[in-house]
Amino acid sequence: MQRRRMAGTIAVVSALGMTAVLGGCGVTGGSADVTLKLVAADYGDSAANSSKKYWDGLVEEYEADHPGVKIDVSVYSWNDVDRKVREMVAAGDPPDMAQIGAYADYAAQNQLYKADDLLSIPVQADFVGQLASAGQVKGVQYGMPFASSTRVLFYNKTLFAKAGITPPKTWDDLADDAEALKDEGVKYPYALPLGPEEAQAETMQWMLSGGGGYADTVGSYGIDSPENIDTFSWLKNELVGKDLTGPVAPGELNRAAAFAAFAKGEVGMLNGHPSLMKIAAKNGVEYGMVPTPGKEGTSKSTLGVADWMTAFRKNGHRDQVGDFLDFVYSEKNVLAFSREYDLLPVTSSASQTMAASGRDRHLKPFLEELPASELYPVGKTSWAGISVQVKKQIGKAVAPSGSPSGVLGHLQAVATRAESAE
């Protein structure tokens, strides 16, 4: 097996307290058992499609071929999984692997294995380029992308037909369409969810469409860049100020509520990810999807989001973890997970298969956006705290008495202090 680590024989202590003699790529000896603990997030919306079912099937297959290794998987909701892992780490009992939303803090504390200490060369090289780069801290990959998605603009075809309009390509088009929808009595011509649930996503989507972003070209925070200030000034004056974003103030509108309103036929347009397709279709909403409109044409980049697999060093099960993760990231398993939850593959091989497959055509608009997507600056240990501040503050930038430059300037000052402390 091609693996970037020393081959040969090493001794480790199993979870049962037994000393196991291990080869370079797995366990040798019939009684030398090792148990790997994996904490994973639940991507399902019911017991019927819980991620536990996915992991149970995958683990059963793996263990059948690796009798010396057991995989103990605990699945938690996204509301709990990051906290559970933090608690385990704080108690001195981290899992061997954790599939969670962030990794940079653990990497900065030297608690994680590097990806190239775990994965075989072909597996690591198969990650989609910008996802692998986003998993790096100071040029070293610690976060292994596990699931990804992008954003596109959803629109209600029925409402658009009634208003006699076509999908927008520019900000001006979007504002004109929103005016027409408002004239037809649409409750939310454009839904702008800048509430605390996921404001950081809508914020970045708009920043990117205006040529900005959270970080500048050299990787430092650039939250109050001229481009970002112009973007939020436009939102405040041309959408919110003209009553084109609905009856709920953007700073109080959460993504889930915006999606639910779209599913009720109350929203003309909004930014959405793949899960919105099922929600809309289930409620009989005829929808279309187009690339994000930009200031002067289709946005050159869109928001990409990834969740991360991490591997903790403390238990010392590097070889077994690496072998299991090679299996997890096989094309078959990446495709199975992505298809089950309408997510985008994190490997190039699975992405190519999905792009060529008729069964995945509903994901094609999102897949086409992936190469030009940009991700949050998750490699910064300060990002988690900055994201929290964005969720709390950004809605004020478009409020009637709000100041885009003032709010973005405040966030930049917070970010600069946090970045200097990294």
Side-chain angles (χ1 to χ4, degrees), residues 297-315:
T298 300
S299 179
K300 294 179 180 179
S301 59
T302 189
L303 172 65
V305 177
D307 302 320
W308 306 97
M309 178 68 76
T310 59
F312 286 86
R313 292 157 45 94
K314 183 169 184 180
N315 296 327

Side-chain angles (χ1 to χ4, degrees), residues 316-349:
H317 298 145
R318 182 180 67 174
D319 287 340
Q320 301 94 332
V321 169
D323 192 72
F324 177 66
L325 290 179
D326 273 359
F327 176 73
V328 168
Y329 284 109
S330 68
E331 181 180 331
K332 178 190 74 171
N333 289 328
V334 171
L335 275 173
F337 182 85
S338 301
R339 286 168 168 165
E340 176 66 28
Y341 299 107
D342 278 337
L343 293 165
L344 303 183
V346 297
T347 62
S348 297
S349 59

